[in-house]
């Protein structure tokens, strides 16, 4: 590994003893070697830190930093302060890359000096087959980039390589967020800057039993909404650029569609919270009130009402 790494890989770690060694071992199978790995142990209470200290003795490119538990955003910001590379990638302790990830992504940024970020395709692993198909995202520079990226997080955090100067310019991660912090960062970097797509699947998201943040649908939905509103407040001109109705559709409309999906999946806690939020915001039509007004009931009564109607439908 180089004493002057071109790439800094930042990995937050919290109670990742089950998979951190496999993740790091796979990382060092990259065909590109001019990188450093900065692992920030975020107050782990398992054997993670002991494993990291052992691995850092074996792999000189690893730096291990410890802090009291503050969340992934804060851990990544600590890593950013220590990063020496011109380019930065983020890899969580339970995810992985194709062996060619860094080689391909670095070449793309080096050959395109005006590009601030490159992103690639990814694949879920560990779910049902229908949820594990390889996925190549759109070429957002050839579409309505602002609208498309405002609508949804365009790629996972480990499917991108970014110029560090650009991350520094936007102030890194918003540490107040408990999820969607990568989406918030992409909005601030990818909308004003030039981005390129690498049309290959090079990133892998490993699903496993445990407290993976993406399993909390309510937290994700509310944080996604919060990030959108934060971006629009900072960029009021966006509504004029793409139109009030289209902005409403990808923000409030998206939240409404999520509420209905949660309702039909009988995730009633999430559905009730989202229906209430949309009702109070005034985003609904008459037909929606059939689902929104019952959501004003206390949760126990709301759940019992839905169970009552479910039983009636089964007769």
């Amino acid at each position: 590994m180089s004493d002057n790494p071109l790439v800094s890989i930042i990995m937050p770690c919290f109670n990742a003893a089950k998979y951190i060694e496999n993740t790091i071992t796979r990382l060092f199978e990259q065909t590109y070697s001019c990188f450093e790995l900065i692992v920030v142990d975020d107050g782990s209470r398992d054997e993670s830190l002991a494993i990291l200290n052992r691995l850092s003795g074996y792999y000189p490119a690893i730096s291990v930093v410890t802090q009291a538990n503050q969340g992934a955003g804060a851990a990544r910001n600590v890593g950013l302060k220590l990063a020496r590379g011109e380019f930065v990638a983020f890899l969580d302790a339970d995810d992985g890359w194709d062996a060619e990830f860094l080689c391909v992504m670095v070449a793309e940024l080096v050959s395109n000096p005006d590009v601030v970020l490159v992103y690639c395709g990814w694949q879920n692993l560990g779910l049902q087959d229908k949820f594990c198909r390889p996925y190549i995202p759109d070429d957002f520079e050839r579409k309505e980039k602002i609208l498309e990226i405002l609508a949804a997080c365009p790629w996972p955090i480990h499917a991108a390589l970014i110029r560090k100067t650009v991350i520094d310019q936007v102030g890194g991660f918003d540490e107040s967020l408990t999820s969607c912090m990568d989406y918030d960062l992409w909005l601030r970097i990818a909308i004003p800057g030039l981005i390129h797509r690498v049309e290959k699947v090079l990133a892998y998201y490993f699903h496993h039993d445990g407290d993976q943040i993406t399993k909390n649908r309510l937290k994700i939905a509310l944080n996604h909404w919060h990030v959108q509103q934060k971006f629009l407040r900072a960029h009021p001109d966006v509504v004029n650029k793409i139109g009030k109705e289209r902005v409403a559709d990808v923000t409030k409309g998206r939240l409404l569609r999520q509420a209905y999906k949660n309702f039909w999946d009988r995730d009633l806690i999430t559905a009730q919270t989202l229906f209430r939020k949309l009702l109070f915001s005034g985003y609904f039509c008459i037909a929606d009130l059939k689902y929104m007004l019952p959501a004003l009931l206390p949760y126990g009564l709301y759940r019992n009402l839905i169970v009552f109607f479910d039983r009636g439908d089964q007769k």
Side-chain angles (χ1 to χ4, degrees):
M1 299 301 163
S2 172
D3 291 333
N4 297 297
L6 184 61
V7 179
S8 294
I9 302 166
I10 297 171
M11 179 182 293
C13 173
F14 178 70
N15 290 346
K18 290 182 180 179
Y19 33 80
I20 187 72
E21 184 163 3
N22 287 335
T23 299
I24 291 177
T25 300
R26 286 195 304 267
L27 172 61
F28 280 91
E29 294 172 355
Q30 289 286 307
T31 59
Y32 182 90
S33 62
C34 189
F35 69 84
E36 64 175 348
L37 171 63
I38 303 169
V39 186
V40 182
D41 184 80
D42 190 37
S44 293
R45 296 186 293 270
D46 63 4
E47 297 300 313
S48 294
L49 185 56
I51 294 170
L52 290 171
N53 287 334
R54 174 168 54 80
L55 290 173
S56 66
Y58 186 75
Y59 297 109
I62 299 179
S63 299
V64 179
V65 184
T66 62
Q67 65 175 26
N69 182 251
Q70 298 177 53
R76 292 181 182 120
N77 282 341
V78 168
L80 284 169
K81 291 177 184 177
L82 299 172
R84 295 177 294 155
E86 181 181 345
F87 307 145
V88 172
F90 300 99
L91 183 65
D92 285 350
D94 55 350
D95 293 330
W97 291 328
D98 183 272
E100 294 292 320
F101 176 88
L102 286 175
C103 184
V104 173
M105 302 290 271
V106 167
E108 185 74 12
L109 272 185
V110 169
S111 61
N112 293 281
D114 294 332
V115 171
V116 300
L117 176 152
V118 293
Y119 61 97
C120 66
W122 65 91
Q123 184 176 9
N124 292 322
L125 297 175
L127 298 175
Q128 298 177 23
D129 289 346
K130 64 179 179 179
F131 298 117
C132 291
R133 299 188 182 101
Y135 181 76
I136 302 290
D138 291 330
D139 184 347
F140 293 105
E141 288 292 352
R142 296 188 178 183
K143 303 188 72 174
E144 293 184 275
K145 184 169 74 169
I146 297 178
L147 185 67
E148 295 291 331
I149 297 180
L150 181 61
C153 187
W155 50 79
I157 194 165
H158 62 303
L161 186 67
I162 315 102
R163 295 188 189 276
K164 185 176 185 296
T165 53
V166 178
I167 303 177
D168 291 340
Q169 287 169 8
V170 301
F173 290 90
D174 182 343
E175 297 180 16
S176 70
L177 295 170
T178 55
S179 67
C180 302
M181 58 202 72
D182 53 335
Y183 177 42
D184 175 70
L185 185 67
W186 305 149
L187 284 170
R188 290 182 282 131
I189 289 177
I191 286 183
L194 181 65
I195 60 176
H196 272 197
R197 176 184 64 165
V198 172
E199 202 170 348
K200 296 180 178 180
V201 171
L202 298 172
Y204 300 99
Y205 187 82
F206 295 98
H207 292 261
H208 53 80
D209 294 333
D211 186 27
Q212 282 176 290
I213 198 169
T214 50
K215 291 181 179 179
N216 191 327
R217 291 191 286 184
L218 178 57
K219 179 166 64 177
I220 297 255
L222 293 178
N223 276 336
H224 189 281
W225 162 269
H226 172 72
V227 167
Q228 289 177 320
Q229 299 309 305
K230 173 188 171 186
F231 178 79
L232 290 170
R233 286 193 299 271
H235 301 85
D237 58 313
V238 166
V239 175
N240 293 329
K241 286 181 180 178
I242 60 181
K244 185 176 181 180
E245 289 186 2
R246 300 175 84 193
V247 169
D249 179 64
V250 298
T251 55
K252 295 178 180 179
R254 183 185 188 278
L255 203 65
L256 180 59
R257 292 186 287 273
Q258 184 67 48
Y260 275 114
K261 182 180 187 305
N262 296 140
F263 178 82
W264 294 118
D265 288 345
R266 290 304 187 253
D267 177 2
L268 296 180
I269 293 178
T270 301
Q272 181 188 39
T273 302
L274 300 186
F275 279 140
R276 284 181 174 183
K277 189 171 189 68
L278 289 159
L279 181 63
F280 294 139
S281 76
Y283 189 85
F284 58 86
C285 64
I286 297 300
D288 296 322
L289 294 177
K290 174 182 175 182
Y291 299 92
M292 290 183 172
L293 291 178
L296 296 176
L297 294 169
Y299 177 71
L301 292 176
Y302 178 65
R303 180 195 59 206
N304 291 340
L305 180 64
I306 303 304
V307 169
F308 174 78
F309 282 114
D310 282 346
R311 288 174 179 170
D313 291 340
Q314 292 171 5
K315 292 181 179 178

